[in-house]
Amino acid sequence: MSIKWFTGNAARGVMVVATILLMQGCGFIKSKFGGGKGKGDDIGVTNGEITANGRKGWKQTTPYGMVLVPSGSFMMGQADEDLAASQANMNRRVTISSFYMDDTEITNHEYRQFVNALLTDSVSVLGEEEIMSKYYPDTTVWKNDFTYHNGDPMLEYYFSHPAFDTYPVVGVSWQAAQYFCNWRTNLYNDYRTKEGQFVSPRYRLPSEAEWEWAARGGHSSAKYPWGGPYVANGKGCYLANFKPQRGNFDADGYPYTAPANAYNPNDYGLYNMAGNVAEWTRDAYAENSTAIVWDMNPDNQNADEPRKVVRGGSWKDIAYYLETGTRYYELEYNKRSYIGFRCVMDNLQGRTASRGARR
């Protein structure tokens, strides 16, 4: 046997072993817990030995009205010139885990299910006065937000009339949006429990970083959610509902809000991530958030800070506020005619595998 033959075969053997280990590490080869069918899997202990594998019956499906936002890494922060010279959203790389997000803003009719449920089931606990003052949309915002403005038709009809059922709810505080998420979670998990299913992750407001990652729709440096640097397409049609042409509110097709699924979605299937209504996030506002939050799933929750981050711009805002990198805030207890919200849900299965590690 020649030394050359032995050395070549040894090298090939090392390569085979390395390949197997690499495939196992990437999830291509099932491990001890990858689907064994030994007795006692459901019990956990058999003949004095631990034989428990993964519990059967859990599979996270896309919740109704939501889309899956994949995990990824991007340069968070301003996507164009910082016109306000605020230096409040400096660029840095962050990584976001996968999650589900409502494909539209929460609509009037969806939110109506919430307040109707409170008025039916929770009056004895919360009291009608608290429900109406804290959680029922404040329709007077259509008059109070603007001086010398005829908001009477919107005040009277916007939340109550079926003509606006699919329009985004407004006049809802950050606190009420949080409460809606809790109610929605309880509603969903009560049903799952009765059906003998595992409890689902809860609905919640998106973090500021999650919102920005979702808004960009996979375009890492996109100025707007549709990926391009302009607010109109080649035919001159506006791509969002905002305040164009120095105040021609009607130029984009809607003088006030638009239906929650108006205009084209971004590449993640999300509608109106720019314009229509601005959206609450769960983050407390901090001018130096870039320096104080971590770069893996950044999240600045601070109950002592009443300023909460608002993103996306609205029907009354100029294009600057529609940019994916523009951040501003509103006080958590304030209700506005131009701020709504949407929910997200953690994708637990998305935290166990990524596009770089296939099963």
Side-chain angles (χ1 to χ4, degrees):
M1 180 185 298
S2 69
I3 296 177
K4 182 178 179 181
W5 182 91
F6 178 81
T7 304
N9 279 274
R12 281 192 290 272
V14 171
M15 290 177 64
V16 169
V17 172
T19 301
I20 292 174
L21 291 175
L22 179 62
M23 292 175 67
Q24 188 173 16
C26 289
F28 291 107
I29 297 178
K30 290 192 178 295
S31 67
K32 169 184 174 181
F33 305 107
K37 297 181 179 179
K39 295 180 180 180
D41 285 353
D42 294 332
I43 299 173
V45 176
T46 303
N47 298 328
E49 295 184 284
I50 299 176
T51 57
N53 289 326
R55 287 176 287 176
K56 297 178 176 64
W58 165 253
K59 181 180 179 181
Q60 189 167 2
T61 56
T62 303
Y64 178 80
M66 288 189 155
V67 297
L68 179 63
V69 178
S71 61
S73 179
F74 75 113
M75 291 298 293
M76 183 176 176
Q78 60 197 53
D80 202 349
E81 182 182 0
D82 184 10
L83 295 177
S86 64
Q87 298 185 340
N89 200 19
M90 307 300 287
N91 295 102
R92 68 163 183 160
R93 179 165 292 280
V94 301
T95 301
I96 304 295
S97 296
S98 176
F99 58 94
Y100 296 94
M101 188 177 223
D102 284 325
D103 59 356
T104 71
E105 300 128 344
I106 296 299
T107 65
N108 283 320
H109 201 43
E110 289 173 327
Y111 196 82
R112 191 176 295 115
Q113 311 311 308
F114 165 58
V115 292
N116 286 348
L118 293 185
L119 290 170
T120 301
D121 304 327
S122 302
V123 172
S124 60
V125 178
L126 299 175
E128 184 174 354
E129 182 179 353
E130 180 174 344
I131 293 172
M132 297 302 293
S133 62
K134 288 187 177 181
Y135 307 121
Y136 197 89
D138 183 3
T139 59
T140 65
V141 294
W142 292 106
K143 291 280 288 184
N144 298 335
D145 281 347
F146 312 106
T147 304
Y148 300 113
H149 163 252
N150 180 22
D152 288 344
M154 301 296 284
L155 184 156
E156 184 175 357
Y157 298 115
Y158 187 75
F159 183 66
S160 61
H161 199 278
F164 295 103
D165 276 352
T166 60
Y167 285 61
V169 68
V170 297
V172 173
S173 68
W174 180 86
Q175 297 163 333
Q178 292 274 67
Y179 204 83
F180 173 90
C181 293
N182 294 336
W183 170 81
R184 189 178 179 185
T185 299
N186 293 335
L187 181 70
Y188 187 41
N189 278 329
D190 284 349
Y191 169 79
R192 292 182 63 88
T193 300
K194 290 176 183 177
E195 294 295 314
Q197 301 175 13
F198 288 107
V199 171
S200 168
R202 64 189 181 88
Y203 294 96
R204 57 176 175 81
L205 292 178
S207 70
E208 180 181 11
E210 287 173 333
W211 190 97
E212 186 173 324
W213 167 246
R216 297 193 182 208
H219 301 278
S220 61
S221 58
K223 181 176 179 179
Y224 298 110
W226 43 88
Y230 306 110
V231 293
N233 61 20
K235 297 180 179 180
C237 299
Y238 288 106
L239 300 172
N241 180 19
F242 66 114
K243 180 183 178 180
Q245 301 180 11
R246 298 177 180 243
N248 186 354
F249 289 92
D250 200 50
D252 53 41
Y254 300 92
Y256 291 101
T257 58
N261 63 347
Y263 305 97
N264 292 325
N266 71 3
D267 285 356
Y268 286 158
L270 300 166
Y271 293 85
N272 289 303
M273 293 299 285
N276 211 21
V277 293
E279 300 176 13
W280 292 113
T281 72
R282 73 175 181 179
D283 283 44
Y285 183 84
E287 290 82 356
N288 64 337
S289 63
T290 301
I292 64 175
V293 297
W294 203 30
D295 52 3
M296 176 65 187
N297 290 321
D299 190 7
N300 182 26
Q301 296 188 67
N302 182 358
D304 296 326
E305 174 55 75
R307 298 178 300 171
K308 304 302 180 184
V309 176
V310 176
R311 287 300 200 102
S314 75
W315 61 269
K316 75 162 192 65
D317 292 316
I318 60 174
Y320 168 74
Y321 291 98
L322 273 60
E323 295 180 15
T324 56
T326 300
R327 63 193 301 259
Y328 48 107
Y329 68 86
E330 183 58 81
L331 298 178
E332 63 183 27
Y333 46 78
N334 281 348
K335 303 177 180 183
R336 299 298 187 191
S337 61
Y338 44 85
I339 299 179
F341 70 100
R342 70 180 80 205
C343 304
V344 300
M345 175 190 287
D346 291 318
N347 177 19
L348 300 186
Q349 290 178 321
R351 289 171 181 260
T352 61
S354 68
R355 287 168 292 184
R358 304 297 185 190
R359 288 200 239 191

